[in-house]
Amino acid sequence: MADLVLNVAVGNYGHTAPLKDGSVASTMFQLEHTEVSPVTSIFRRMVRGLEFDVAEMALSTYLCARAHGKAFTGIPVFLTRAFYHAGVAVHERSGINEPRDLEGRRVGVRSYTLTPGVWTRGILASEYGVDLDAVTWVLSGDEHVAEFVAPPNVVSSSNSDLVEMLKSGEIDAAIGVRPGAAPEIKALFPEPDAADANWHRKTGIYPISHMVVVKNARLDDDPELASELCRVFEQAKMPYIDRLQGGEATTAMDSELLGMGRIVQGDPIPYGLESSRRTLNAFIDFNVSQGVIPERVEPEEIFPASTLA
């Protein structure tokens, strides 16, 4: 049994279950799992306290944390993906009927560096011509990276409930609220699945939501650790992908992944830099243009060299 024990905090997914039940293991290390709910709490605890050796992390949180010198580094293991047209909701009395109508309005989002927020704003700007600087972004929470300073058109609300903010008229639209959360809340994009598929077909981008990061102190101790972690995460994923592609879906997440797999016509949770280079380049550009990170970085710069082969 390996002497090295790594404290790991990742969500409970079909593709992480073999790591948690021990059916996939490494001769280099043992994994000691810490269960954290909700998963988003892992991000804050890692960013602010470096509590884990290996942790799930939202992609934009990682880029922002990296820009502020946080002592962990990502590996190209992308645990969750999503498309985002379905996550834009508007109040039926707002008069917002198309994306450009968001200009001059107040749009709620949990935090400015929230990964779904960055992706959605990027899509609104690049695909639909929305001037993001002409929107007031209203936050219902704070940032995981406490040092981050938001652009001047970002304000905070004392209300932490985006649905209530929409119902009261405090905001005109929201990112991260599903239409139907209240009778007066409707979708900005009435056919989001078709919009997702068309956008993916046009751009080749398959948005990454969550990834894996490793404490730098652990990486410094062993230059082979990052590549071995990538190997065991990939090994753990394969039986789950085989079941999905065989049509076995027993949870809502399974069904969602199958749907995304149909859009991308392949693996719904691809790992590795090369499988996601276009996606990463687009997302880095979105983060720069939106002021989440101060300057552009290349995808190769955000992962250990040993994981890039």
Side-chain angles (χ1 to χ4, degrees):
M1 183 175 291
D3 293 332
L4 176 61
V5 178
L6 299 176
N7 183 10
V8 181
V10 298
N12 293 305
Y13 310 117
H15 45 295
T16 58
L19 295 174
K20 294 197 172 189
D21 66 22
S23 57
V24 169
S26 171
T27 58
M28 181 183 292
F29 50 72
Q30 301 176 56
L31 300 180
E32 183 179 86
H33 296 277
T34 299
E35 296 298 329
V36 179
S37 183
V39 166
T40 52
S41 297
I42 299 172
F43 314 158
R44 178 182 293 262
R45 289 169 61 175
M46 188 65 178
V47 169
R48 299 194 178 190
L50 288 176
E51 287 191 38
F52 313 106
D53 296 315
V54 180
E56 186 166 343
M57 180 71 61
L59 182 53
S60 60
T61 301
Y62 170 54
L63 293 174
C64 185
R66 182 183 178 279
H68 287 275
K70 302 301 178 180
F72 49 79
T73 299
I75 60 174
V77 171
F78 307 121
L79 294 176
T80 65
R81 304 258 181 165
F83 288 104
Y84 291 106
H85 282 87
V88 187
V90 302
H91 196 288
E92 63 181 3
R93 294 192 299 275
S94 66
I96 297 172
N97 298 305
E98 58 183 45
R100 289 290 299 271
D101 293 338
L102 294 170
E103 295 176 7
R105 302 305 189 92
R106 293 167 62 87
V107 179
V109 63
R110 197 205 67 78
S111 69
Y112 188 73
T113 61
L114 183 79
T115 294
V118 176
W119 273 120
T120 304
R121 290 192 300 266
I123 293 167
L124 290 170
S126 63
E127 187 68 11
Y128 300 99
V130 176
D131 180 357
L132 301 181
D133 293 335
V135 178
T136 299
W137 304 100
V138 183
L139 310 184
S140 64
D142 63 358
E143 310 293 342
H144 293 309
V145 181
E147 297 89 341
F148 174 74
V149 178
N153 61 322
V154 178
V155 299
S156 293
S157 172
S158 59
N159 193 335
S160 62
D161 189 324
L162 289 171
V163 172
E164 289 304 318
M165 292 163 69
L166 264 176
K167 290 167 64 177
S168 71
E170 181 181 353
I171 56 177
D172 305 297
I175 294 171
V177 172
R178 291 282 175 172
E184 60 267 48
I185 296 175
K186 68 176 187 176
L188 176 61
F189 297 99
E191 297 182 358
D193 292 345
D196 290 335
N198 290 337
W199 178 73
H200 173 74
R201 193 178 306 115
K202 176 181 178 180
T203 66
I205 298 169
Y206 183 20
I208 297 164
S209 299
H210 298 175
M211 58 181 299
V212 173
V213 299
V214 187
K215 191 182 295 185
N216 286 347
R218 291 297 198 182
L219 295 174
D220 292 343
D221 288 341
D222 191 335
E224 296 182 3
L225 177 60
S227 58
E228 176 65 1
L229 280 165
C230 288
R231 187 194 69 77
V232 297
F233 271 94
E234 181 73 30
Q235 184 181 348
K237 184 187 85 167
M238 296 316 298
Y240 178 63
I241 295 299
D242 288 344
R243 292 197 301 275
L244 281 181
Q245 293 180 340
E248 181 181 330
T250 58
T251 69
M253 179 174 290
D254 294 346
S255 298
E256 184 176 352
L257 284 170
L258 281 172
M260 292 193 293
R262 286 191 288 270
I263 290 176
V264 302
Q265 297 184 334
D267 183 351
I269 39 175
Y271 295 168
L273 171 61
E274 290 308 322
S275 70
S276 298
R277 182 179 292 276
R278 181 177 297 183
T279 293
L280 288 164
N281 273 316
F283 193 64
I284 290 167
D285 287 341
F286 288 167
N287 276 268
V288 175
S289 65
Q290 294 175 36
V292 174
I293 58 176
E295 59 187 7
R296 198 181 194 288
V297 294
E298 295 301 321
E300 288 88 350
E301 296 178 60
I302 65 176
F303 305 115
S306 64
T307 67
L308 302 181

